């Protein structure tokens, strides 16, 4: 199968090369801000004319928001907006215009309801100091040199890599990959190049195609598998917190920028800011490396992986656990499992968000009405089973794979969720205030739905 895959490598640029890359990133920012200023001006002009009672046919002509329309307008005005445009590649200006076109489309789709998720704000102007410099090349020559330690990009020439690009070079030599674009980006004080590659991947099968594993993520342990394996949570952010605080205090003592007085930062502030940025980048790299190793091992070993559909955005609203949840990377773990199971011929099953995996007994299927987060050991009052709370949830997730009749990924209901699959055992039903015991009459609540706070015996 053919997939779109990214290969990212760190660069070792000379001062001359770094200035050239910064010039291209600045050109992308200039084109983005120019086009955005023009779009805002036209929108404000048309809104003002409507207040004057001008007919729609007589309003100022609207400017197109698509990439071809923005590129046409930029080509007509680039001699005045950027007389130096010949010094940079045309791809630099196209990068800024493409980012603006996608931002405007996302904002428009979010307002009209075509885009799901959180509301998308209107695009903002990119700052020279606060924005992340980046530029993308989609045309002309982009290749990896024969020594696999250098890459060639348009207008920038031959750039040295910090590490070998042998994995990408092998696919290019075997004609199983095609470079579609190359993006240069400065992250944590270091320039990196990311190749977007169309890869022809061979069909693979997991080492144990019939193996089913449930993965319960958490803060105490990063992941608890239904096999009994406990994956420790490295807590990279917590380990680096003392150093980050020290670097942050050192940065606050320097003379930084002030937008009100237009004061420019001092050189010491810039160096202290770079040190703090490198410390944060190290934490991010360590977290990413650990998640990649874990998800790769799971996808290559097990044929079916069952995870929960966690509301990570809602969990981050808990001010006591937000930092630890963000440090664990729950959303990134599921995202990596989604495409790695597809690459390795496996299957990812996502349990329904309201599936009570922690409250359900993995032995008899009984569902508890309440289970406080502080209660780390699950004790079943029906079958008297006693085991770790997270291990019980992982076993319930593994058992869910046998109950769902689907070959693809996506949210599926399980025992106690009362959604798609046959309900078995005890299902949660609502308890009225003041009642001593749960209602076990088997009636359906007025709302017609079942939640974790309800308890009734299924028919």
């Amino acid at each position: 199968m053919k997939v779109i895959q990214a290969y990212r490598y760190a660069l070792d640029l000379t001062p001359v090369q770094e200035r050239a890359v910064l010039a291209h990133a600045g050109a992308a920012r200039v084109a983005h801000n120019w086009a955005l200023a023009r779009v805002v001006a036209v929108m404000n002009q048309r809104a003002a004319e409507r207040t004057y009672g001008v007919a729609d046919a007589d309003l100022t002509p609207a400017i197109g928001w698509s990439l071809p329309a923005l590129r046409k307008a930029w080509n007509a005005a680039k001699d005045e907006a950027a007389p130096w445009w010949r010094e940079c590649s045309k791809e630099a200006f196209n990068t800024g215009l493409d980012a603006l076109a996608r931002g405007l489309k996302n904002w428009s789709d979010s307002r009209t309801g075509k885009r799901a998720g959180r509301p998308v704000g209107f695009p903002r102007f990119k700052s020279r100091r606060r924005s992340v410099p980046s530029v993308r090349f989609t045309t002309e020559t982009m290749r990896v040199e024969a020594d696999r330690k250098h890459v060639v990009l348009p207008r920038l020439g031959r750039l040295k890599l910090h590490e070998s690009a042998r994995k990408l070079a092998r696919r290019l030599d075997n004609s199983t990959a095609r470079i579609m674009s190359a993006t240069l980006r400065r992250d944590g004080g270091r320039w990196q190049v990311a190749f977007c590659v169309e890869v022809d991947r061979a069909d693979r099968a997991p080492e144990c195609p019939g193996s089913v594993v449930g993965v319960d993520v958490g803060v105490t342990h990063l992941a608890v598998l239904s096999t009994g394996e406990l994956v420790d949570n490295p807590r990279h952010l917590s380990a680096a917190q003392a150093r980050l605080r020290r670097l942050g205090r050192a940065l606050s003592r320097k003379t930084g920028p002030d937008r009100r007085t237009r004061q420019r930062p001092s050189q010491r502030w810039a160096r202290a800011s770079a040190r703090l940025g490198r410390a944060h980048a190290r934490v991010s790299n360590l977290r990413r490396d650990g998640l990649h190793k874990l998800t790769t091992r799971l996808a290559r070993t097990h044929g079916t992986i069952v995870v929960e559909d966690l509301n990570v955005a809602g969990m981050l609203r808990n001010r006591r656990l937000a930092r630890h949840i963000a440090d664990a990377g729950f959303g990134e773990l599921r995202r990596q499992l989604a495409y790695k199971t597809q690459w390795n011929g496996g299957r990812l099953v996502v349990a329904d968000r309201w599936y009570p995996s922690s409250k359900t007994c993995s032995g008899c299927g009984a569902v508890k009405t309440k289970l406080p987060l502080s209660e780390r050991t699950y004790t079943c009052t029906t079958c008297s089973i006693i085991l770790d709370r997270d291990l019980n949830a992982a076993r319930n997730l593994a058992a869910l794979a046998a109950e769902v009749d689907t070959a693809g990924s996506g949210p599926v209901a399980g025992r106690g969720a009362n959604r798609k699959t046959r309900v078995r055992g005890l299902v949660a039903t609502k308890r009225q205030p003041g009642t001593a015991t749960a209602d076990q009459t088997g009636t359906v609540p007025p709302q017609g739905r079942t939640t974790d706070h309800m308890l009734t015996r299924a028919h």
Side-chain angles (χ1 to χ4, degrees):
M1 61 179 176
K2 290 187 177 181
V3 298
I4 304 300
Q5 186 175 347
Y7 290 84
R8 187 170 63 172
Y9 302 98
L11 293 171
D12 290 335
L13 301 179
T14 64
V16 176
Q17 291 174 342
E18 186 172 2
R19 285 194 295 269
V21 176
L22 278 174
H24 280 71
R29 187 188 71 253
V30 168
H32 175 277
N33 291 344
W34 176 89
L36 179 58
R38 180 163 182 173
V39 169
V40 171
V42 172
M43 291 178 61
N44 293 339
Q45 180 65 23
R46 291 171 61 89
E49 291 175 353
R50 287 192 180 95
T51 61
Y52 300 150
V54 179
D56 292 344
D58 299 332
L59 294 177
T60 301
I63 181 174
W65 290 359
S66 63
L67 178 58
L70 294 176
R71 187 188 297 120
K72 182 178 180 180
W74 166 259
N75 290 333
K78 62 184 178 182
D79 289 330
E80 298 180 0
W84 41 265
W85 64 269
R86 293 179 179 84
E87 300 176 5
C88 299
S89 173
K90 63 178 182 180
E91 292 295 327
F93 305 103
N94 189 77
T95 300
L97 298 176
D98 180 59
L100 177 61
R102 287 186 284 107
L104 291 172
K105 183 179 184 303
N106 293 338
W107 173 73
S108 177
D109 293 345
S110 179
R111 290 191 64 190
T112 56
K114 297 180 181 179
R115 179 185 174 93
R118 290 184 174 183
V120 178
F122 191 79
R124 295 183 295 181
F125 291 95
K126 292 188 176 182
S127 170
R128 178 181 178 182
R129 295 180 176 85
R130 292 188 300 274
S131 62
V132 178
S134 64
V135 59
R136 185 180 62 173
F137 299 92
T138 58
T139 59
E140 300 183 34
T141 304
M142 294 175 289
R143 68 174 186 270
V144 179
E145 292 284 75
D147 61 356
R148 301 178 179 181
K149 293 285 290 184
H150 295 81
V151 295
V152 176
L153 298 178
R155 295 296 294 269
L156 297 177
R158 194 166 181 259
L159 306 178
K160 186 179 183 301
L161 297 177
H162 185 72
E163 55 186 333
S164 176
R166 57 182 180 275
K167 291 186 178 180
L168 175 59
R170 289 170 186 168
R171 290 191 175 275
L172 295 175
D173 295 340
N174 297 333
S175 300
T176 59
R178 180 175 63 91
I179 298 179
M180 303 177 63
S181 65
T183 303
L184 289 169
R185 174 189 173 96
R186 189 173 64 185
D187 186 12
R190 162 159 280 182
W191 283 97
Q192 298 177 348
V193 57
F195 291 99
C196 183
V197 185
E198 183 184 31
V199 179
D200 187 6
R201 300 184 65 92
D203 294 336
R204 300 184 58 179
E207 298 176 3
C208 304
S211 174
V212 179
V213 62
V215 182
D216 182 78
V217 296
V219 175
T220 305
H221 294 92
L222 178 60
V224 177
L225 309 184
S226 58
T227 58
E229 179 184 355
L230 304 179
V231 181
D232 292 334
N233 186 3
R235 301 175 184 265
H236 298 296
L237 182 59
S238 300
Q241 202 65 34
R243 174 175 171 80
L244 294 176
R245 288 196 186 100
R246 185 172 65 255
L247 294 176
R249 288 195 299 266
L251 178 64
S252 65
R253 291 193 294 266
K254 309 296 188 296
T255 303
D258 193 340
R259 297 175 59 185
R260 295 171 299 178
T261 61
R262 297 185 179 181
Q263 178 180 326
R264 302 190 63 175
S266 64
Q267 293 296 326
R268 291 189 177 185
W269 184 93
R271 289 194 294 268
S273 178
R275 285 193 294 268
L276 181 60
R278 287 194 297 267
H280 279 287
R282 183 178 184 274
V283 173
S284 178
N285 293 336
L286 289 173
R287 182 188 302 115
R288 187 184 301 111
D289 179 72
L291 291 177
H292 271 296
K293 290 178 179 178
L294 173 61
T295 54
T296 299
R297 177 168 63 88
L298 293 177
R300 289 181 178 178
T301 304
H302 304 282
T304 302
I305 302 175
V306 188
V307 296
E308 291 180 295
D309 182 22
L310 298 177
N311 182 17
V312 181
M315 297 168 66
L316 291 177
R317 297 193 186 102
N318 187 338
R319 63 183 182 88
R320 300 180 183 274
L321 298 175
R323 187 175 65 190
H324 303 286
I325 293 174
D327 189 19
F330 295 163
E332 179 66 13
L333 189 143
R334 174 183 165 181
R335 186 192 72 86
Q336 293 181 12
L337 284 176
Y339 71 84
K340 289 184 180 181
T341 51
Q342 182 181 3
W343 288 0
N344 293 275
R347 181 179 64 152
L348 179 66
V349 178
V350 182
D352 187 86
R353 179 168 294 183
W354 305 109
Y355 172 52
S357 60
S358 298
K359 299 179 181 179
T360 305
C361 177
S362 58
C364 64
V367 181
K368 287 192 173 184
T369 307
K370 292 183 180 181
L371 185 64
L373 189 61
S374 59
E375 188 175 335
R376 305 310 305 170
T377 302
Y378 185 90
T379 303
C380 181
T381 57
T382 304
C383 63
S384 302
I385 189 175
I386 300 176
L387 74 165
D388 182 76
R389 171 199 181 109
D390 297 333
L391 179 58
N392 176 71
R395 290 181 178 178
N396 287 326
L397 292 175
L400 182 62
E403 300 183 8
V404 297
D405 186 17
T406 175
S409 60
V412 292
R415 298 180 301 176
N418 203 15
R419 299 283 175 129
K420 297 180 181 178
T421 57
R422 180 180 60 85
V423 181
R424 185 182 70 183
L426 296 177
V427 185
T429 192
K430 186 175 181 181
R431 294 185 57 183
Q432 299 297 332
T435 58
T437 59
D439 182 15
Q440 298 184 357
T441 60
T443 57
V444 180
Q447 293 81 0
R449 63 178 182 177
T450 321
T451 65
D452 291 353
H453 303 289
M454 307 180 180
L455 185 63
T456 184
R457 184 173 298 277
H459 297 284

